[in-house]
Amino acid sequence: MQEKVYLSLLFDFYGELLKSHNKQIFEDYILNDLSLGEIAEEQGISRQGVYDIVKRCSKNLTEFEEKLGLLHKFRTTRQMAEEIHSLAMNIKESHREEAEEAVERILTLSQNMIDAL
């Protein structure tokens, strides 16, 4: 996965845990696609200072995910929901035997989602 996309997802889940100043700089760099120089000028700090804050925030967000795993849980739950949707669509269009297998799989997936939450 592209690093900026991954970091923006981590920011969606954990951004509120960052210090306000660091959060704004990270948001400008990752989400608003401003350059280090543009942010440095706007914030009145050096380009290296902006770079250090972005790297520190990236590290912090990655550590939050390693400890809490919210993004991983979200992705897993989304995959299960997509499979449930697909199975339900197949039931609409299938024969009885295939429908019974799909219902069993839906029950298993939905229980896994319930257990994960």
Side-chain angles (χ1 to χ4, degrees):
M1 178 184 296
Q2 187 183 29
E3 183 180 3
K4 276 196 172 186
V5 173
Y6 180 68
L7 289 173
S8 71
L9 287 171
L10 290 178
F11 184 77
D12 287 344
F13 281 90
Y14 306 110
E16 293 300 318
L17 299 174
L18 299 174
K19 292 180 183 176
S20 178
H21 177 71
N22 294 355
K23 178 183 170 190
Q24 182 59 53
I25 289 173
F26 189 82
E27 184 175 0
D28 283 344
Y29 183 72
I30 296 296
L31 300 179
N32 299 331
D33 204 28
L34 297 179
S35 70
L36 296 175
E38 290 171 321
I39 298 168
E41 185 177 317
E42 183 180 294
Q43 295 290 326
I45 60 176
S46 71
R47 193 176 174 280
Q48 182 64 45
V50 172
Y51 176 80
D52 291 344
I53 289 171
V54 169
K55 283 299 175 189
R56 191 174 326 117
C57 288
S58 298
K59 182 180 179 224
N60 288 342
L61 292 171
T62 301
E63 288 174 354
F64 294 149
E65 176 60 16
E66 288 171 2
K67 291 177 183 173
L68 301 173
L70 297 178
L71 180 57
H72 175 73
K73 289 177 186 175
F74 171 78
R75 285 180 170 166
T76 301
T77 303
R78 182 179 177 101
Q79 287 173 342
M80 287 188 282
E82 287 172 353
E83 188 175 347
I84 287 171
H85 179 77
S86 176
L87 290 167
M89 293 301 290
N90 289 342
I91 288 171
K92 267 179 99 171
E93 302 165 355
S94 71
H95 301 287
R96 182 172 171 82
E97 184 176 312
E98 292 171 352
E100 289 176 12
E101 291 174 11
V103 168
E104 286 301 319
R105 183 68 182 142
I106 287 173
L107 291 170
T108 301
L109 287 170
S110 61
Q111 187 61 54
N112 288 346
M113 289 173 68
I114 292 166
D115 292 344
L117 302 174

